[in-house]
Amino acid sequence: MIRNTSLPAEILRRWLYAFACTLLVAVFPWMLLPAQQPATPPSQPAPTPAAPQKASPPADPADDSAGPTIRLGVNEVNLIFTVTDRHGHYIPNLRQSDFALLDDQKAPEKVNDFRQQINLPLRVGIVIDASTSIRTRFQFEQQSATEFLTETLKSRGDRAFVMGFDVTPTVVADWTNNLDALETGINRLRPGGGTALFDAVYTACRDKLLTERGQEPVRKAMILISDGDDNQSRVRPDEAIKMCERSETIIYAISTNWTPSRGKGDQMLQQMSDATGGQTFFPPSVEEMTTSFHEIQAELRSQYALTYTPADFRANGAYRPIYLFCNDRRYQVRARKGYFAPTQ
């Protein structure tokens, strides 16, 4: 009689098969869960923990740049201007509705911001004629320029540079609010040589002031101390003015011509300041230069700012004329005559 010894093995095999099927049914749904989650896009790396940021220092009460910040878009224009009466007195407390504006012969598409007695950061270039013709009064000009910077650069956001020129322009103090460095730069200037006024204005705007346009507006001004005569420049007067307009710089000129008559140099200083929305001062003597500096300082603190979006704006580098006037014709508005649109 032959015994069937394979029966227990067959029972064990069937039992193991049933156990495996039961285990697979129980585990299979959990295996599907990871596949149902959305995959992380390859272009988005896993976020890294943010680095701790230092707390901003408290605002300095003497810092007049504190307050709401204006952000400029590519298609926005920031126009800074001064309003005076017929006697040259500044007119405060005017409203946006008191003015009419044409940009490229069209009303702006939108006025984004209007402020009076603005506290925008200053960007000031002190450009001093250091040619032979002003040798006798040069030291007093240096002292007046130093005093102006000391009284004008008040906030931490203000910056200035100093450039002297005879045949060639020379930067003797780069952008800083360190008054000692600026004074040292002014005192380094020594008169001598010919006069290349237009080259100096062009270079100061192209190399120093043009690069100061950022997302936030600033007041850019050039304080030009000269008799206005030029006998060495390669740049034409109209090219120097256009570069001022490109850099959005206002020229305040102080004539060093102490004679009662107004020569061609004075007329040229007047032309440059008028085109940029500034002013030319004719002190009767070298001692009166300090008064001219004080008037410039007062004007820089008594201006209006208008930020707007032009109509039919195109970033093509074209020149766009500006016409701004006060509805009350007793008051005069001094503003730049136009600007160059940015390029793409």
Side-chain angles (χ1 to χ4, degrees), residues 52-283:
Q53 297 184 357
K54 297 181 180 179
S56 301
D60 186 350
D63 185 356
D64 66 354
S65 66
T69 300
I70 307 173
R71 297 285 183 177
L72 288 180
V74 176
N75 63 335
E76 290 182 313
V77 177
N78 182 57
L79 183 61
I80 295 176
F81 58 95
T82 304
V83 184
T84 62
D85 61 16
R86 66 184 66 181
H87 303 293
H89 301 139
Y90 303 118
I91 306 300
N93 303 323
L94 295 176
R95 297 168 297 181
Q96 176 185 325
S97 58
D98 293 322
F99 300 95
L101 170 66
L102 293 177
D103 181 300
D104 201 20
Q105 302 181 357
K106 302 180 185 67
E109 176 183 309
K110 179 183 177 183
V111 174
N112 304 316
D113 191 82
F114 177 83
R115 298 187 184 192
Q116 59 173 326
Q117 296 177 328
I118 57 176
N119 292 316
L120 296 177
L122 287 173
R123 297 293 182 269
V124 179
I126 305 294
V127 180
I128 302 177
D129 187 339
S131 60
T132 305
S133 60
I134 51 84
R135 181 183 299 273
T136 58
R137 51 190 180 269
F138 191 69
Q139 184 176 1
F140 197 89
E141 293 175 7
Q142 290 174 304
Q143 295 172 355
S144 300
T146 299
E147 180 181 346
F148 168 79
L149 290 173
T150 302
E151 297 180 356
T152 302
L153 300 184
K154 297 295 185 182
S155 83
R156 292 178 298 179
D158 295 340
R159 298 287 186 275
F161 72 90
V162 179
M163 171 185 286
F165 69 92
D166 43 30
V167 177
T168 57
T170 303
V171 176
V172 291
D174 212 340
W175 286 117
T176 183
N177 59 0
N178 186 318
L179 295 175
D180 291 336
L182 293 168
E183 181 178 2
T184 299
I186 292 174
N187 292 334
R188 284 175 54 194
L189 294 173
R190 295 291 182 269
T195 308
L197 169 66
F198 307 132
D199 286 356
V201 172
Y202 184 94
T203 302
C205 288
R206 181 195 62 188
D207 296 350
K208 310 305 297 181
L209 291 154
L210 182 63
T211 59
E212 285 297 301
R213 189 185 192 279
Q215 293 184 338
E216 301 175 12
V218 293
R219 286 172 296 171
K220 293 192 284 188
M222 179 190 301
I223 314 301
L224 178 60
I225 306 171
S226 175
D227 58 9
D229 293 329
D230 189 305
N231 54 24
Q232 294 286 339
S233 282
R234 292 172 294 178
V235 170
R236 300 191 308 270
D238 62 314
E239 293 175 324
I241 291 175
K242 285 182 179 179
M243 186 54 66
C244 290
E245 292 174 326
R246 289 185 185 278
S247 63
E248 303 176 356
T249 299
I250 302 172
I251 289 184
Y252 295 98
I254 300 178
S255 173
T256 57
N257 174 23
W258 315 126
T259 63
S261 60
R262 296 284 170 257
K264 292 183 178 180
D266 292 324
Q267 296 174 8
M268 184 52 60
L269 294 177
Q270 189 76 60
Q271 181 180 342
M272 288 191 291
S273 62
D274 287 347
T276 59
Q279 190 175 2
T280 299
F281 299 86
F282 302 98

